[in-house]
Amino acid sequence: MAAESKAKETPKLKLHSYWRSSCSQRVRIALNLKGLEYEYKAVNLLKGEQFTPEFEKLNPLKYVPVLEDGDVVVADSFAILLYLEDKYPEHPLLPRDLQKKALNIQAASVVTSSIQPLQNLAVLNYIEEKISSDEKLVWVQRHLNKGFAALEKLLKSSVGRYATGDDIGLADVFLAPQIAAGITRFQIDMSHYPTLARLHGVYTEHPAFQAAHPDKQPDAPSSS
């Protein structure tokens, strides 16, 4: 009985994450929204822990996040979120309405394909090495502003309390970390994007988003 009780207490899910990774933050938000317990496995990107043979077995592309669900291993935040949506349908992130569902996926895709990859650590390090450190911010701001302008127009007719209505959807899970990064790390002037700016305020008030914040993660640098 003791062994059985101990097994029940051990989280089945394991999330390989880095505190500042917006891709990892998306998954943390979704896990929190769905009420799923998980074990946090820190991967220090600055120390190159993503390049170890052990981590490469989990994700040959050597990126976080990676989710382990028993014998199932899923890498890439988009794939992980779709897996969670199918396996754990409680508190769904994709609405049944096909138009709203497509809009959620489209907004998420804008973030994951047209914004975030252009600001990740590998890209910024390459720009600094080949051009200059000053050019990094110019590069990021250009692509963030382009993506934010598209999202502002895309969501204009659908936005409610959240991005695509009054319920939290997949779009919100992708938007929250990206908007926060734009504000805190890349000095984006959000006065050009009133819809996104308002959503940012709503996200900061929600417990599931708060718990997923980079500063709340066990591998975040101590402020003391």
Side-chain angles (χ1 to χ4, degrees), residues 71-110:
D71 294 332
V72 177
V73 178
V74 188
D76 182 87
S77 63
F78 216 143
I80 292 170
L81 291 169
L82 293 178
Y83 171 82
L84 290 174
E85 190 72 356
D86 287 338
K87 177 79 181 286
Y88 304 98
E90 300 82 5
H91 305 285
L93 299 174
L94 287 172
R96 300 185 69 177
D97 180 88
L98 290 181
Q99 184 176 5
K100 279 193 174 184
K101 181 177 180 180
L103 182 60
N104 271 275
I105 294 172
Q106 184 179 354
S109 184
V110 170

Side-chain angles (χ1 to χ4, degrees), residues 15 17 43 48 70 95 104 127 134 197:
L15 178 66
S17 173
V43 181
N104 271 275
I127 291 173
D134 293 338

Side-chain angles (χ1 to χ4, degrees), residues 14 49 66-67 133 190:
K14 295 180 182 179
E49 292 177 357
V66 174
L67 182 77
S133 58
M190 294 302 293

Side-chain angles (χ1 to χ4, degrees), residues 179-197:
I179 297 171
I183 294 170
T184 61
R185 295 178 60 191
F186 302 120
Q187 305 163 33
I188 297 298
D189 181 0
M190 294 302 293
S191 66
H192 300 299
Y193 316 111
T195 298
L196 301 185

